[in-house]
Amino acid sequence: MIKFLDLHAINQQHREEFIDAFTRVLDSGWFLMGKELQQFEQQFAAYCGTKEAIGVANGLDALSLIIRAYKEMGIFQDGDEILVPSNTFIASILAISANNLTPVLIEPILEDYNIDPALIEEKITSKTKAILVVHLYGQLADMSAITVLSKRHNLKLIEDAAQAHGAALDGKKAGGWGDAAAFSFYPGKNLGALADAGAVTTSDANLAQVIRALLNYGSHEKYKNLYKGTNSRLDEINAAMLAIKLKHLDEETASRRAVANRYLSEINNPKIVLPRVKNPMAHVWHLFVIRCAQRDELQTYLQNHHIQSLIHYPIPPHKQEAYKEWGNLSFPISEKIHEEVLSLPISQVLREEEVHEVIALINKF
């Protein structure tokens, strides 16, 4: 069986470093809000090119805390609108609605799956306060064009960079384009922890200060609560593990790109639509997503030949029961994407012979 993602093999590469780090944290007796977190935050901020990185419990919390902090600062209010892609993972939407703001869905570009800048301006109203850009599957959206739009209309620009650790364009990495960005370190991410984890990056010191309080019960100082906060702290053990994996991230991204390049150059089945890549450095290949009108048959065929694949994502947000009020909306591009996409195995530990087998079987389909 060729696994979709072999997390065991990925983490075994760092086994000895992990054991050393775990022992260091265990012996320190300090498990939250300590030196390991501080060091990782500094390293990740430097990597992303921002002044601040703030460790949090998961990627959804990272998004939610950004929006919540802007509300506490008086920049957002209940009922304000945030523009967001219509084909994203549900977390991007949940973070908006959970803060009593209104998600306004915008179709993506079919060829690269990211939000279409040409459709943004027509959706801006007097209630619009931000654009939430999702770098889907690991490829940066058209940040140059979207940055111009956000500045023209005085909108906050928030990045959902949960899948795009290290993706770069014009020398600027994901997490460093917007006013703030949210990252997930879910174990399956390119930079994955050993449990749920996440981070916010920003160069706005005021925003960072509010987020740091919110994630710790609304407190900067123990038992003094400025806000009605929450508990969303990145623990010392996972901070230490992430610092180890961050050192290897660029090398592992290069391995993913090598697999992706083979898929792009060697898959030649006319039934398969390959992803479009505008700039090789802007894509870190968290997922290699193809489209096929016979998607379900293709997935069954691969499974029968012992190749795992996944669907990211089978149901678009506006068709989810959680958002049944959107049930009458139509987003044909998103719907087409969700009906046809299939994610192939890709990782830094995928062997050459496994890549060859995947390509050969898809070409025979």
Side-chain angles (χ1 to χ4, degrees):
M1 173 67 73
I2 297 176
K3 294 182 178 181
F4 176 75
L5 185 67
D6 191 343
L7 283 179
H8 179 266
I10 287 171
N11 286 310
Q12 283 298 310
Q13 300 176 108
H14 312 297
R15 179 183 176 86
E16 296 306 317
E17 288 183 282
F18 283 172
I19 291 172
D20 289 344
F22 177 82
T23 302
R24 183 175 68 247
V25 174
L26 183 65
D27 289 348
S28 76
W30 195 286
F31 305 110
L32 286 169
M33 311 289 280
K35 291 181 180 178
E36 302 291 345
L37 175 61
Q38 184 180 40
Q39 289 173 2
F40 172 68
E41 288 179 337
Q42 291 170 352
Q43 292 163 5
F44 193 62
Y47 181 81
C48 294
T50 58
K51 293 180 180 178
E52 298 260 12
I54 306 149
V56 300
N58 55 69
L60 174 56
D61 280 5
L63 278 174
S64 295
L65 285 164
I66 292 168
I67 297 170
R68 171 73 189 282
Y70 278 134
K71 288 186 70 178
E72 295 289 354
M73 296 166 72
I75 295 170
F76 296 168
Q77 296 179 0
D78 285 357
D80 284 343
E81 296 173 349
I82 296 182
L83 311 183
V84 62
S86 55
N87 64 314
T88 185
F89 180 55
I90 198 70
S92 310
I93 311 292
L94 290 172
I96 300 170
S97 59
N99 279 289
N100 294 320
L101 274 72
T102 303
V104 176
L105 306 182
I106 296 179
E107 287 268 56
I109 299 170
L110 180 60
E111 290 78 13
D112 67 15
Y113 311 118
N114 278 323
I115 192 169
D116 188 344
L119 302 179
I120 290 176
E121 202 153 24
E122 65 189 51
K123 294 286 189 176
I124 296 173
T125 72
S126 60
K127 291 187 175 181
T128 307
K129 293 297 185 292
I131 305 170
L132 198 164
V133 175
V134 182
H135 305 310
L136 201 62
Y137 308 144
Q139 181 167 211
L140 283 177
D142 186 350
M143 296 306 293
S144 296
I146 296 169
T147 298
V148 169
L149 283 170
S150 67
K151 290 181 177 178
R152 181 187 303 159
H153 294 277
N154 194 29
L155 303 176
K156 292 297 181 184
L157 181 54
I158 303 169
E159 298 174 75
D160 182 339
Q163 301 181 353
H165 317 71
L169 188 62
D170 299 331
K172 188 180 292 188
K173 284 192 174 77
W177 280 89
D179 295 288
F183 286 87
S184 168
F185 304 129
Y186 177 79
K189 302 298 186 185
N190 292 25
L191 181 61
L194 301 186
D196 269 323
V200 173
T201 57
T202 185
S203 291
D204 183 336
N206 292 332
L207 178 69
Q209 185 179 38
V210 176
I211 291 173
R212 288 190 187 280
L214 286 171
L215 67 85
N216 189 36
Y217 301 99
S219 173
H220 285 299
E221 184 179 345
K222 197 169 185 178
Y223 303 131
K224 292 184 178 180
N225 304 86
L226 297 174
Y227 312 105
K228 297 173 183 176
T230 188
N231 176 11
S232 182
R233 299 177 293 199
L234 175 58
D235 64 88
E236 288 287 278
I237 289 175
N238 272 297
M241 304 302 174
L242 286 164
I244 290 165
K245 296 180 85 171
L246 181 59
K247 295 186 298 182
H248 302 281
L249 180 58
D250 287 345
E251 178 185 352
E252 293 183 349
T253 297
S255 297
R256 285 175 172 269
R257 285 180 175 141
V259 174
N261 287 337
R262 283 202 61 191
Y263 284 158
L264 290 169
S265 62
E266 297 179 40
I267 292 175
N268 53 27
N269 188 325
K271 295 180 180 179
I272 305 301
V273 179
L274 295 168
R276 184 180 71 176
V277 183
K278 294 180 179 178
N279 184 307
M281 299 307 292
H283 208 321
V284 293
W285 299 105
H286 172 59
L287 299 170
F288 190 96
V289 180
I290 61 174
R291 293 205 331 272
C292 179
Q294 299 168 267
R295 187 265 309 282
D296 294 342
E297 292 91 334
L298 174 58
Q299 186 174 39
T300 299
Y301 163 81
L302 291 173
Q303 182 67 29
N304 289 341
H305 287 85
H306 310 293
I307 295 173
Q308 291 182 340
S309 61
L310 293 177
I311 299 171
H312 296 89
Y313 304 95
I315 305 172
H318 70 285
K319 296 295 184 182
Q320 296 284 356
E321 181 65 21
Y323 291 98
K324 53 183 177 290
E325 64 270 24
W326 291 342
N328 63 338
L329 298 181
S330 175
F331 294 94
I333 297 174
S334 292
E335 289 158 21
K336 179 179 178 64
I337 288 170
H338 288 266
E339 289 168 0
E340 296 183 351
V341 289
L342 188 67
S343 301
L344 301 182
I346 188 166
S347 77
Q348 58 270 39
V349 297
L350 200 64
R351 300 191 304 272
E352 286 286 330
E353 59 268 26
E354 292 176 321
V355 177
H356 178 80
E357 186 174 348
V358 173
I359 292 168
L361 280 167
I362 287 179
N363 285 338
K364 290 177 183 176
F365 175 71

